[in-house]
Amino acid sequence: MRVAFAGTPEFARVALAALHAAGFHIPLVLTQPDRPAGRGMKLHASPVKQWALAHGIPVAQPHSLRLDGKYPDDAQAARAALQTARPDVLVVAAYGLILPPWVLDLPRRGCLNIHASLLPRWRGAAPIHRAIEAGDADTGVTIMQMDAGLDTGDMLLIERLPIAPTDTTVTLHDKLATLGGRLIVQALECAACGDLAATLQPAKGVTYAHKIEKHEAAIDWALPAAQIERRIRAFDPFPGAASVLNGENIKIWKSEIDSKQHIPDGRHGAILLTSDQGITVACGGGTVLTLTELQRPGGKRLPARDFLRGCPVQAGQCFDGAPASVSAPVSVSAPSSKAPS
């Protein structure tokens, strides 16, 4: 089977490597154009491009695949490359470009997508982030036959994966990438044997994983501690949950909740206790959250005890520029080191 591939980030690179290791012939790889990155803003190739070139696989990088769009020459060149490659199937994983009808119709077996959710839940751009943010108990990978809709095609294979209480987008991404690579190999092997059944997505349970925006980084301390804790994990590594303290935008990377602790509601963002274990903050509904890994602008991620040595913080101060005049710190015990369940 001739398998063309379209993908861009690390999630896609893992799948491409799995297809190659399984022995599929890959005549062409599509990936996004090189982008400026780093302090020098030099052009950097995508993980998929780097891997493909290292393994001698031809690469095309169109800005668009729309023949009537802004980059028609790019689209025409990509179509010519795909026609020359004569793929039986096009595997798509986090490519980043919309596939117009001519692409969907070109391979004789169509286009298969590796989607990091249990469809129809979390269609869209950020399924890993949104699953953690929502507090889902599990997620997974769906291998889908692509159609003209947004992640609406028939499901071919699906496998669940539990979300650990300490999972961040980084750790869950890596687990799902490995699972996606294994499932797409399984799907193509089944397809080659004529043993790959398609199932319509149910109409019930559709949700959309909208793209993560930078403004979502700001912590709303009026939310319950459990919801804030999930958002901290969901936004690691991007955009990174943050809150202003003493005029600095502090990134917060890890935290712990203790459901046994309750305080009077209404002091959202107030710092209740500081210790080597963390900075305990008042949240909505009388809940509290202990921040255990933080980062100052231009600094490194640090455990709370090291952060406090370089950035003295006292009970009574408030995040987000709220008044620091708290009548008396609420007495709370030092936080447990156990992660939330």
Side-chain angles (χ1 to χ4, degrees):
M1 188 180 295
R2 297 172 65 85
V3 182
F5 187 87
T8 300
E10 178 64 16
F11 182 89
R13 185 206 65 79
V14 173
L16 177 59
L19 291 169
H20 184 268
F24 290 101
H25 178 52
I26 305 170
L28 179 67
V29 162
L30 302 177
T31 192
Q32 288 267 0
D34 297 357
R35 305 292 189 194
R39 291 185 178 180
M41 295 302 288
K42 295 181 180 179
L43 290 178
H44 284 260
S46 72
V48 163
K49 178 182 178 180
Q50 293 179 45
W51 192 95
L53 293 181
H55 291 78
I57 299 174
V59 174
Q61 297 179 269
H63 287 83
S64 171
L65 293 169
R66 290 183 54 186
L67 297 171
D68 59 349
K70 186 178 178 181
Y71 302 97
D73 292 344
D74 276 24
Q76 289 282 7
R79 182 165 69 171
L82 277 168
Q83 289 172 336
T84 300
R86 297 178 294 106
D88 296 302
V89 64
L90 175 65
V91 171
V92 183
Y95 178 31
L97 291 183
I98 295 174
L99 303 189
W102 74 260
V103 179
L104 298 174
D105 296 339
L106 191 149
R108 67 184 183 89
R109 293 182 181 270
C111 302
L112 304 189
N113 179 243
I114 308 170
H115 189 75
S117 82
L118 302 172
L119 290 172
R121 185 163 177 79
W122 302 130
R123 295 173 178 172
I128 301 176
H129 307 73
R130 299 306 183 190
I132 295 175
E133 182 185 17
D136 291 359
D138 53 18
T139 182
V141 167
T142 304
I143 305 299
M144 175 189 65
Q145 186 80 49
M146 296 182 71
D147 60 16
L150 176 62
D151 299 328
T152 56
D154 292 350
M155 301 181 295
L156 303 174
L157 284 179
I158 189 165
E159 186 168 323
R160 292 180 177 271
L161 180 76
I163 300 177
T166 56
D167 265 331
T168 65
T169 291
V170 172
T171 60
L172 189 56
H173 165 281
D174 292 350
K175 297 175 187 178
L176 289 170
T178 300
L179 175 58
R182 176 168 62 78
L183 278 191
I184 192 60
V185 169
Q186 181 181 340
L188 293 182
E189 289 175 344
C190 290
C193 299
D195 188 24
L196 189 63
T199 303
L200 287 172
Q201 291 191 35
K204 186 177 180 181
V206 175
T207 59
Y208 288 91
H210 297 287
K211 181 181 177 182
I212 302 296
E213 303 288 351
K214 287 185 178 180
H215 70 82
E216 296 183 73
I219 294 175
D220 180 359
W221 296 103
L223 296 174
Q227 188 171 347
I228 296 173
E229 189 272 342
R230 293 197 303 268
R231 297 192 80 183
I232 290 170
R233 291 187 289 114
F235 298 160
D236 181 358
F238 177 85
S243 193
V244 176
L245 181 65
N246 295 332
E248 290 188 326
N249 195 47
I250 305 298
K251 293 278 189 180
I252 299 163
W253 296 109
K254 290 184 180 179
S255 63
E256 297 175 355
I257 56 175
D258 186 345
S259 58
K260 297 179 181 179
Q261 297 291 347
H262 289 279
I263 60 171
D265 196 12
R267 304 174 58 204
H268 311 144
I271 295 173
L272 308 174
L273 175 73
T274 64
S275 69
D276 284 350
Q277 283 69 47
I279 301 171
T280 301
V281 184
C283 304
T287 59
V288 296
L289 184 69
T290 299
L291 316 180
T292 59
E293 184 176 284
L294 306 94
Q295 181 181 16
R296 297 178 73 178
K300 298 179 180 179
R301 296 189 185 194
L302 295 173
R305 62 180 179 275
D306 297 330
F307 176 86
L308 288 169
R309 290 191 185 102
C311 183
V313 177
Q314 296 180 347
Q317 292 180 280
C318 276
F319 279 98
D320 284 340
S325 56
V326 178
S327 56
V330 175
S331 176
V332 295
S333 62
S336 167
S337 60
K338 185 178 179 180
S341 59

